[in-house]
Amino acid sequence: EVQLAESGGGLAQPGGSLRLSCAASGFTFGTYAMGWVRQPAGKGLEWVSSIGSSGNTHFANSVKGRFAISRDNAKNTLSLQMNSLRAEDTAVYYCAKRGYCTGRTCYYHFDYWGQGAQVTVSS
Amino acid sequence: QTVVTQEPSFSVSPGGTVTLTCGLSSASVSTNYYPSWYQQTPGQPPRTLIYSTNIRSSGVPDRFSGSILGNKAALTITGAQADDESDYYCVLYMGSGISVFGGGTKLNVL
């Protein structure tokens, strides 16, 4: 059974930093792309960042230059380092697994989700 | 900036059929965007319903179906049930690892 468990959320001051982790199990972590999606309270979902199986990274414009995504395939762990935090970064952050490839066809959806971690940026 | 558009809200009667759509501000949605659909209830993570336009995720009832209608992706719920009352999000894959979420549609079943 695929399981994703976020940790590391909490309260940070504007301009501060937080690091989220996502422990993955139930699948061969190193062979799948992974991502982070966030949701401010009462608002919609927003894609934040993705990392491919080879380590290539991508970021939404809203976090580019402030956030970094990484993975440790030996520990089956995905991380999101969040620096220069702003009030508008306050949200629940979900870890999500990307879809799969079969033959020459790849599927780019998010097929499994964690329960989410709350990040609050406030003075 | 890419904007993915969805109806803010929609209502359907129990047993009825409803089609939610997902458009692009500056282009037509095609299968090349690998449209996917997610259902979310308050306090819960999203649940994946449909991916790559029309493939149902494991365990999703066949009353949920995906398609391209005109220049938009579409999610059709046939025989709506009370527990279908949720928020529905579409996502378009823009390539190079980038996904864009629509603003979501709040579906009321009443």
Side-chain angles (χ1 to χ4, degrees), chain B residues 12-92:
Chain B
V12 63
S13 300
T17 296
V18 63
T19 296
L20 312 181
T21 68
C22 174
L24 263 178
S25 55
S26 56
S28 295
V29 176
S30 69
T31 57
N32 293 331
Y33 288 97
Y34 300 87
S36 54
W37 293 90
Y38 305 83
Q39 179 191 49
Q40 188 183 35
T41 54
Q44 294 297 314
R47 171 197 182 197
T48 307
L49 295 176
I50 300 285
Y51 63 96
S52 195
T53 305
N54 57 10
I55 302 175
R56 270 186 298 276
S57 283
S58 176
V60 174
D62 60 7
R63 53 199 183 77
F64 290 91
S65 62
S67 63
I68 298 292
L69 286 181
N71 62 349
K72 296 183 178 182
L75 173 70
T76 299
I77 306 172
T78 305
Q81 300 180 359
D83 61 4
D84 294 336
E85 187 160 289
S86 303
D87 294 326
Y88 291 85
Y89 294 90
C90 75
V91 176
L92 300 181

Side-chain angles (χ1 to χ4, degrees), chain A residues 37 39 43-45 47 50 58 94 98 100 106-111 113-115, chain B residues 34 36 38 40 44-46 48 51-52 55 89 93 96-99 101-103:
Chain A
V37 174
Q39 185 172 37
K43 297 190 178 181
L45 297 164
W47 171 77
S50 292
H58 313 278
Y94 294 103
R98 279 280 196 198
Y100 58 95
C106 288
Y107 301 105
Y108 299 100
H109 63 298
F110 294 107
D111 56 3
W113 300 74
Q115 288 296 312
Chain B
Y34 300 87
S36 54
Y38 305 83
Q40 188 183 35
Q44 294 297 314
T48 307
Y51 63 96
S52 195
I55 302 175
Y89 294 90
Y93 183 69
S96 300
I98 298 169
S99 295
F101 281 78

Side-chain angles (χ1 to χ4, degrees), chain A residues 2-87:
Chain A
V2 172
Q3 293 191 334
L4 300 171
E6 302 92 341
S7 61
L11 176 65
Q13 292 194 334
S17 298
L18 274 178
R19 185 178 182 87
L20 296 179
S21 294
C22 173
S25 61
F27 64 103
T28 308
F29 178 75
T31 62
Y32 291 92
M34 299 290 296
W36 292 95
V37 174
R38 68 185 180 184
Q39 185 172 37
K43 297 190 178 181
L45 297 164
E46 179 190 17
W47 171 77
V48 173
S49 181
S50 292
I51 184 168
S53 57
S54 59
N56 51 317
T57 61
H58 313 278
F59 299 92
N61 287 338
S62 57
V63 306
K64 200 172 291 183
R66 301 187 298 122
F67 288 13
I69 189 173
S70 61
R71 64 191 302 159
D72 184 334
N73 292 337
K75 295 182 178 179
N76 291 348
T77 300
L78 175 73
S79 297
L80 185 69
Q81 177 66 41
M82 303 182 290
N83 300 326
S84 302
L85 283 164
R86 306 168 180 167

